Amino acid sequence: MPRTPSPQLTEVELQILNVLWEQGTCPVRDIHASLEVSRGTNYSTTVKMLSVMLGKGLLTRDETKSPHVYRAAMTRKRAGRRMVDDLVKKVYEGSTMSLVMQALASGKATREELGELRTLLDQMEEGREQEGDV
C-alpha cells in the first residue's frame, strides 16, 4: 500500500525549491547539477524526486518545452510560513509567542533587526487599535 505524501518539506525538496526560487525555471539537468555537487545524488534519484514533488503539488512542469522545465509551485514566503506553522504546532503547542521568545533568546539579534521588530510590533498594535475603533 503506497504511503500518502507528507505535507512537510524534506531537506532535498527544500534544496530543489531553493534552486528553482533562485533560477526561476530549470530543466532536470540544472537541478541535478546542483544536487550532485551538494549531495552526490544520481540523475535517476533527481528525476524521482521531481516526480514526487509534482505529485505533492510543490512543482509545475512545462511539457511544451524541450527539455521539460520545472518551476516552484509555491513561493519561498509560503513555504517558510508553512514550515513555521508546523514548528509552532509541534514544538510550541501552537504558541507563536513561545517561538519568537525562543528565537530571540537563542540568537543575537542586531540593532537593525530589533528596530524592525519594534516597527512590526507598532504596526500590529496600530492595526488592532483601528479594528477596535470600528
Side-chain angles (χ1 to χ4, degrees), residues 4-24:
T4 56
S6 170
Q8 299 171 3
L9 295 173
T10 67
E11 186 178 334
V12 175
E13 289 170 342
L14 194 54
Q15 188 172 3
I16 291 170
L17 286 171
N18 274 309
V19 169
L20 294 170
W21 289 327
E22 291 170 14
Q23 298 184 20

Side-chain angles (χ1 to χ4, degrees), residues 35-78:
L35 294 179
E36 186 178 35
V37 167
S38 62
R39 302 182 72 85
T41 304
N42 65 39
Y43 189 83
S44 63
T45 300
T46 301
V47 171
K48 178 64 177 168
M49 282 305 307
L50 293 172
S51 175
V52 168
M53 291 176 74
L54 275 169
K56 289 173 82 172
L58 299 173
L59 305 176
T60 61
R61 178 176 57 203
D62 185 349
E63 297 178 6
T64 63
K65 297 186 176 165
S66 183
H68 299 161
V69 293
Y70 292 83
R71 176 185 303 275
M74 68 169 47
T75 63
R76 185 183 303 263
K77 185 174 184 176
R78 189 168 130 222

Side-chain angles (χ1 to χ4, degrees), residues 1-3 18 28 31 40 57-58 70 85 106 113 115 118 124 132:
M1 187 182 216
R3 288 182 6 205
N18 274 309
V28 175
I31 297 166
L58 299 173
Y70 292 83
D85 287 346
S106 64
E113 290 168 334
R118 284 187 188 96
M124 291 174 74

Side-chain angles (χ1 to χ4, degrees), residues 92 97-110 113-114 117-118 121:
Y92 296 99
M97 178 58 93
S98 294
L99 170 64
V100 171
M101 296 302 288
Q102 179 68 40
L104 289 172
S106 64
K108 297 257 185 202
T110 65
E113 290 168 334
L114 291 173
L117 181 57
R118 284 187 188 96
L121 291 171

